[in-house]
């Protein structure tokens, strides 16, 4: 865990953050297997067991935002450490090259012959935050970054006409949901999700003593969450899970995003309330989550899951199967993508201890 500031109360572990990671592991893997391995949902909803998986995943259709929140919040907690340590650099740049090779399609993919994906977004965002880090260091400038980031996330860049840009740059900056359906992880506005998360973590953990939640603060949180949430909650549930998945997530009213995102910001705020943290510590379930590498090393494990799916893609995709075999292979793909990163990270941690 990150270095503690003596005069501030800090929980030893963010148990609510562990819980959020736990909630989104299966939805994240399910959707990525559907998208990357080409198992369209209308062909896999026919079995009750898979229907449970896909329904649960639909509830967390916006899991990409929350996974990014978890990754960059954890980095903000370790603010004093380098953005690019050795194993993160290998995962980031090695995975970037590997997935770019797998998705190379010079005729159809607009970003230098490959699709712009979460990996492109992550590597680019890490580089930008690396150079902006001195601005996060100061409390006042960090708060300014947090506010500006929150406001930028209200701007629907995807709805504006940037037709004057070359397609590869348009896809990377704002997406192209009107024509090509390349809409996954454009930098505008979604870079500001990472900068908001990073600065919010730094603020909570280093700049502010939040051990007490006043009635006024609680009322403000709940009022805003309910005011935005009631009109928009559930808005992602019936969005497409095939080729339209990217635009189904990233090209919707920004208040829909905030309706689903604000409760997670509130949960992390609650984890800094001493009475709440003391209550969480009494429950074995919350305390046991950290034993999973998917929880304890979420960022690295999540990136490894994408590499795992990329490796599976070398050997097969959903178009190769029919009927019950298709269902079986899809389920096996999910299980492999859940287990392989856990096993790899456990082996890596064991090797580090021996070293």
């Amino acid at each position: 865990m990150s270095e503690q500031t003596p005069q501030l109360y800090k929980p030893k572990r963010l148990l609510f953050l562990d819980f959020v990671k736990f909630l989104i592991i299966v939805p994240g893997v399910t959707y990525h297997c559907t998208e990357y391995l080409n198992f369209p949902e209308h062909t896999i909803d026919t079995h009750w067991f898979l229907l449970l998986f896909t329904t649960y995943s639909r509830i967390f259709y916006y899991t990409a935002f929350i996974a990014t929140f978890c990754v960059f919040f954890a980095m903000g907690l370790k603010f004093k450490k380098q953005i690019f340590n050795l194993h993160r650099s290998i995962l980031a740049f090695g995975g970037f090259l590997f997935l770019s090779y797998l998705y190379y399609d010079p005729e159809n993919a607009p970003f230098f012959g490959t699709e712009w994906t979460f990996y492109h977004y992550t590597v680019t965002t890490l580089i930008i935050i690396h150079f902006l880090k001195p601005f996060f260091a100061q409390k006042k400038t960090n708060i300014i970054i947090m506010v500006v980031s929150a406001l930028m996330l209200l701007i629907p860049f995807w709805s504006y006409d940037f037709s004057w840009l070359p397609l590869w740059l348009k896809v990377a900056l704002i997406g192209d949901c009107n024509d090509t359906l390349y809409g996954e992880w454009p930098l505008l506005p979604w870079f500001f999700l990472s900068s908001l998360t990073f600065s919010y973590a730094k603020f909570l953990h280093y700049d502010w003593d939040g051990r007490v939640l006043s009635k006024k603060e609680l009322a403000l949180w709940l009022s805003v969450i309910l005011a935005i949430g009631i009109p928009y909650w559930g808005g992602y549930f019936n969005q497409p899970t095939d080729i339209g998945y990217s635009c189904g997530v990233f090209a919707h009213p920004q208040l829909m995003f905030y309706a689903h995102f604000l409760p997670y910001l509130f949960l992390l705020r609650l984890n800094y309330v001493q009475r709440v943290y003391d209550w969480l510590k009494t429950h074995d379930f919350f305390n046991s989550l950290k034993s999973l590498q998917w929880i304890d090393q979420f960022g690295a494990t999540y990136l490894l899951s994408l590499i795992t799916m990329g490796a599976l893609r070398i050997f097969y995709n959903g178009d190769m199967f029919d009927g019950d075999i298709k269902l079986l292979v899809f389920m096996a793909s999910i299980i492999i993508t859940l287990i392989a990163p856990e096993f790899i990270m456990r082996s890596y941690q064991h090797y580090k201890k021996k070293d």
Side-chain angles (χ1 to χ4, degrees):
M1 203 66 184
S2 53
E3 197 173 312
Q4 304 298 302
T5 306
Q7 68 270 27
L8 302 180
Y9 165 74
K10 300 300 169 198
K12 291 183 178 178
R13 188 172 182 92
L14 298 185
L15 299 176
F16 268 145
L17 181 60
D18 290 347
F19 179 61
V20 170
K21 294 173 186 176
F22 178 77
L23 289 177
I24 64 172
I25 292 170
V26 169
V29 168
T30 301
Y31 272 122
H32 281 309
C33 282
T34 301
E35 183 186 18
Y36 288 7
L37 297 175
N38 196 24
F39 287 93
E41 190 172 290
H42 68 271
T43 69
I44 60 176
D45 265 356
T46 55
H47 191 279
W48 68 268
F49 187 66
L50 285 174
L51 186 60
L52 289 177
F53 269 80
T54 53
T55 301
Y56 177 60
S57 298
R58 279 191 168 279
I59 294 171
F60 291 94
Y61 187 84
Y62 55 92
T63 191
F65 300 136
I66 309 307
T68 302
F69 168 73
C70 291
V71 169
F72 283 91
F73 195 93
M75 289 184 189
L77 294 178
K78 299 174 182 177
F79 176 78
K80 297 181 180 180
K81 295 187 177 180
Q82 292 182 339
I83 293 292
F84 287 107
N85 56 33
L86 179 61
H87 85 272
R88 188 180 292 158
S89 299
I90 293 172
L91 274 173
F93 292 103
F96 172 82
L97 293 173
F98 177 63
L99 291 178
S100 294
Y101 166 75
L102 286 178
Y103 293 105
Y104 183 69
D105 184 1
E107 293 183 1
N108 297 316
F111 189 72
F112 298 114
T114 186
E115 294 182 26
W116 177 272
T117 66
F118 179 71
Y119 245 106
H120 296 76
Y121 165 87
T122 300
V123 171
T124 305
T125 299
L126 286 172
I127 292 170
I128 295 172
I129 288 181
H130 170 77
F131 287 107
L132 289 179
K133 198 174 177 185
F135 296 98
F136 290 97
Q138 301 299 318
K139 181 177 178 179
K140 289 183 179 179
T141 54
N142 185 61
I143 292 174
I144 291 171
I145 291 173
M146 189 162 45
V147 172
V148 170
S149 297
L151 293 175
M152 293 296 288
L153 283 168
L154 289 170
I155 301 176
F157 289 94
W158 50 267
S159 66
Y160 299 129
D161 181 18
F162 283 75
S163 57
W164 49 273
L165 289 174
L167 183 58
W168 68 268
L169 185 56
K170 182 180 180 183
V171 167
L173 284 180
I174 64 162
D176 185 46
C177 288
N178 291 329
D179 298 318
T180 64
L181 296 183
Y182 286 111
E184 183 172 323
W185 285 113
L187 289 171
L188 296 176
W190 301 112
F191 163 76
F192 295 100
L193 170 60
S194 297
S195 61
L196 170 62
T197 301
F198 191 86
S199 60
Y200 184 58
K202 196 264 179 179
F203 174 76
L204 285 181
H205 205 75
Y206 291 95
D207 298 337
W208 187 50
D209 192 338
R211 76 182 72 194
V212 176
L213 183 72
S214 68
K215 291 181 180 178
K216 288 183 179 179
E217 185 188 350
L218 177 61
L220 180 61
W221 274 108
L222 295 181
S223 298
V224 175
I225 287 172
L226 291 174
I228 300 176
I230 289 173
Y232 286 103
W233 279 333
Y236 289 110
F237 189 82
N238 289 317
Q239 298 302 320
T241 58
D242 51 17
I243 192 172
Y245 171 74
S246 294
C247 293
V249 175
F250 296 99
H252 282 283
Q254 299 305 94
L255 286 180
M256 185 186 293
F257 157 74
Y258 267 118
H260 294 83
F261 182 61
L262 281 175
Y264 296 92
L265 294 182
F266 180 52
L267 270 181
L268 268 295
R269 167 67 188 99
L270 285 179
N271 211 137
Y272 282 85
V273 179
Q274 188 168 7
R275 290 178 62 184
V276 174
Y277 177 66
D278 290 342
W279 177 81
L280 289 173
K281 285 193 304 181
T282 64
H283 290 76
D284 291 338
F285 170 74
F286 290 105
N287 289 308
S288 65
L289 290 176
K290 63 184 178 183
S291 63
L292 293 171
Q293 292 298 307
W294 263 105
I295 304 297
D296 196 49
Q297 301 291 330
F298 180 80
T301 310
Y302 184 79
L303 294 178
L304 280 171
S305 74
L306 299 182
I307 296 175
T308 301
M309 280 176 270
L312 294 177
R313 183 185 166 103
I314 295 174
F315 301 101
Y316 66 85
N317 66 70
D319 291 335
M320 299 169 61
F321 310 101
D322 294 306
D324 291 341
I325 297 297
K326 193 181 192 105
L327 303 180
L328 181 63
V329 173
F330 179 70
M331 196 66 234
S333 302
I334 294 174
I335 293 172
I336 291 170
T337 308
L338 286 170
I339 292 176
E342 180 76 16
F343 175 78
I344 293 169
M345 283 306 302
R346 284 182 181 273
S347 300
Y348 174 71
Q349 295 297 333
H350 179 71
Y351 173 78
K352 276 179 62 177
K353 287 180 181 177
K354 286 179 65 177
D355 221 25

